[in-house]
Amino acid sequence: MNDNVWILVAQLIVVVLAIFMGTRTSGIGLGVWGLVGVAVLVFGFQTAPGSAPVDAVFIVLTVITAASVMQAAGGIDWMVSVAAKAIKSRPKSVVFLAPAMSFLFTVGAGTGNIFYPLLPVIYDVSYQQKIRPERALSVSAVASQVGILCSPVSAATASLVVLLAPSGVDLGQVLLIMWPASIVGLFLAALVMVRHGKNLEDDPEYQRRLAEHLIKPPTEDVTSKKLPRTAVLSASIFLAGVGFIVLMGLFEGLRPIIGTDDNGDPVRVSVTIIIEVTMGVIAALIFVFCKVKSADVPKQTTFPAGMVGAFALFGIAWLANTFVANNNQLIVDGLGSLVSGSAAFVGALLFALALFLVAMLTTSQSSATNAIVPIGLAIGLPASLIVGLWPSAMGMYTLPANGSQVATAAFDQTGTTKLGKFVFDHSFQLPNLVYVISAILVGTALSFVVM
């Protein structure tokens, strides 16, 4: 191996060790060790720091603020009570319903960031029903990212369609393969997770937290709890804001024009900005119409969990961005040459593996798509088969370095949703692998039928 490869391996070891130490410390510790990793890469390897995940952190902060204001007005309790009533006769259904909602929200908005407002609701419903929160939360987090692969307005889908258009593949054909494949994959993942892990009351970490009074036991019947008059109004305002974000994501023409590009075409405000601003407006409206006291907001359970998640996301995502920014070309070239030098059948398998690994190392479906799909086309893989293998882009969830993973684990106060002690043993690994394998099998079969 040449010197560049050795440097990449050494830097990857730093990233893995930082994640390892962070997951063992958990919470804010994950962000702290992420920053330690950045320091080692910058000062030890003389690498330029990658882009700090400012937008991702701001999205978490604004969403958490709006959700906490809503909780102070009783909105989360009302949303939980409605959901609890729906699943009371069959409490395990939350493991299927929550991922379905997460998937549909992301499909509409075109970004997995829309998942964050659902976290407190999914957690509270599971907890109040005495269901191990990990079961619903882990699949829901996976579903929130799978929705990007099935969204007509996501950057990843746009990249794939542009790359495959010369081969006669359009958006409709991509969705005809990805939707059934993803629905089957997510259903099987939820089915596996229904009985995964110990029941909540038997989990030692949960019992430890109860004994230390870190959380309250779920003894209250939320369906009979008396709620303040502002509960329904605050939840309605919050949900209206989420609906507005989905609408803006689904219909790009509705977004404000903020300039023009080099070709004179209009440039519209991004969904990321819309999420941040809309959540701020939602919080303000709840303050005004529900008479919430600002001093009560930080006291809500949603607030500290969200702040911890935001800092953890900042450190670990910055570390990942720094590693990728300095090694992206080497990663792509190395895996690309491996794929292009293989026979057709083996090439298809290696294509899926390369897409999976690049997504894992870059934590980005779009980056992996843009890097590996052209190689698949160059070695002669049918465009339809490439679509069928596209679920392997969910390799982005192999390492616990994605913002939605960090935030999800932070929200689970019972401690059942984990980022793992040994990097790869996190709560999202099993449902993600079940999805990837199932969706690839279904997608590959459909690729011979649809096109």
Side-chain angles (χ1 to χ4, degrees):
M1 291 191 291
N2 59 39
D3 291 342
N4 289 334
V5 174
W6 282 115
I7 292 173
L8 180 147
V9 172
Q11 292 183 4
L12 180 59
I13 291 173
V14 170
V15 172
V16 172
L17 285 176
I19 295 175
F20 173 75
M21 292 300 299
T23 52
R24 290 183 69 86
T25 310
S26 74
I28 287 180
L30 185 60
V32 169
W33 281 103
L35 295 177
V36 170
V38 173
V40 172
L41 294 183
V42 172
F43 291 98
F45 290 89
Q46 303 292 304
T47 61
S51 301
V54 175
D55 278 330
V57 171
F58 280 173
I59 285 173
V60 174
L61 291 177
T62 54
V63 167
I64 292 309
T65 299
S68 298
V69 176
M70 174 180 62
Q71 185 177 23
I76 285 185
D77 286 339
W78 178 78
M79 292 170 69
V80 170
S81 68
V82 171
K85 289 177 183 177
I87 66 173
K88 194 171 183 180
S89 60
R90 298 179 63 189
K92 290 180 182 178
S93 62
V94 69
V95 182
F96 296 94
L97 292 176
M101 288 188 294
S102 303
F103 173 79
L104 293 174
F105 272 43
T106 297
V107 167
T111 171
N113 292 326
I114 193 68
F115 170 62
Y116 294 116
L118 296 177
L119 278 172
V121 178
I122 297 171
Y123 167 73
D124 283 341
V125 168
S126 301
Y127 184 48
Q128 294 294 349
Q129 293 296 326
K130 301 183 181 180
I131 300 170
R132 183 182 179 89
E134 177 194 31
R135 295 171 179 173
L137 284 170
S138 60
V139 189
S140 298
V142 172
S144 72
Q145 300 304 310
V146 170
I148 292 175
L149 303 180
C150 298
S151 173
V153 295
S154 71
T157 301
S159 297
L160 183 70
V161 171
V162 169
L163 290 170
L164 298 184
S167 301
V169 175
D170 59 25
L171 176 63
Q173 292 170 318
V174 170
L175 297 182
L176 280 175
I177 291 176
M178 287 305 303
W179 267 74
S182 294
I183 289 172
V184 171
L186 288 174
F187 174 79
L188 292 176
L191 199 62
V192 168
M193 293 303 295
V194 163
R195 297 186 180 279
H196 176 72
K198 296 181 179 180
N199 291 331
L200 183 59
E201 61 272 16
D202 299 324
D203 187 85
E205 175 62 17
Y206 169 64
Q207 292 299 333
R208 181 189 70 81
R209 296 189 180 197
L210 275 182
E212 296 179 8
H213 305 290
L214 299 176
I215 52 176
K216 296 180 180 179
T219 56
E220 186 176 31
D221 184 1
V222 294
T223 61
S224 61
K225 181 179 179 180
K226 186 177 181 180
L227 302 173
R229 290 182 298 175
T230 56
V232 176
L233 178 59
S234 63
S236 299
I237 293 173
F238 187 85
L239 292 175
V242 173
F244 175 78
I245 293 170
V246 171
L247 190 66
M248 291 295 104
L250 195 57
F251 300 103
E252 184 179 0
L254 296 177
R255 301 181 212 162
I257 298 175
I258 56 175
T260 56
D261 59 18
D262 294 337
N263 298 321
D265 296 324
V267 175
R268 299 183 182 275
V269 68
S270 69
V271 174
T272 296
I273 299 298
I274 289 175
I275 293 174
E276 294 167 352
V277 172
T278 300
M279 285 294 152
V281 172
I282 287 171
L285 290 174
I286 298 174
F287 269 127
V288 171
F289 291 104
C290 300
K291 310 298 182 183
V292 174
K293 296 178 180 179
S294 60
D296 292 337
V297 176
K299 300 175 183 177
Q300 307 305 310
T301 57
T302 301
F303 193 82
M307 295 302 109
V308 170
F311 185 78
L313 166 60
F314 176 72
I316 208 66
W318 198 7
L319 172 61
N321 290 348
T322 300
F323 171 74
V324 169
N326 288 277
N327 297 284
N328 187 66
Q329 194 62 47
L330 190 59
I331 294 169
V332 172
D333 289 346
L335 292 173
S337 62
L338 182 65
V339 172
S340 60
S342 305
F345 176 73
V346 176
L349 294 179
L350 289 177
F351 169 83
L353 179 61
L355 188 61
F356 186 93
L357 292 176
V358 172
M360 178 187 76
L361 294 174
T362 61
T363 66
S364 169
Q365 296 151 318
S366 295
S367 297
T369 298
N370 284 304
I372 301 300
V373 167
I375 297 172
L377 292 171
I379 65 173
L381 291 181
S384 58
L385 180 59
I386 289 176
V387 177
L389 297 171
W390 198 38
S392 55
M394 278 301 295
M396 62 176 293
Y397 251 33
T398 303
L399 298 176
N402 188 274
S404 56
Q405 294 169 299
V406 176
T408 301
F411 260 100
D412 185 358
Q413 298 174 48
T414 66
T416 61
T417 306
K418 301 178 177 66
L419 292 176
K421 291 184 178 180
F422 305 102
V423 182
F424 292 97
D425 59 331
H426 53 82
S427 294
F428 312 94
Q429 196 74 272
L430 177 60
N432 189 53
L433 288 177
V434 171
Y435 164 78
V436 170
I437 295 171
S438 304
I440 285 178
L441 292 175
V442 175
T444 301
L446 287 174
S447 69
F448 295 102
V449 177
V450 174
M451 303 181 197

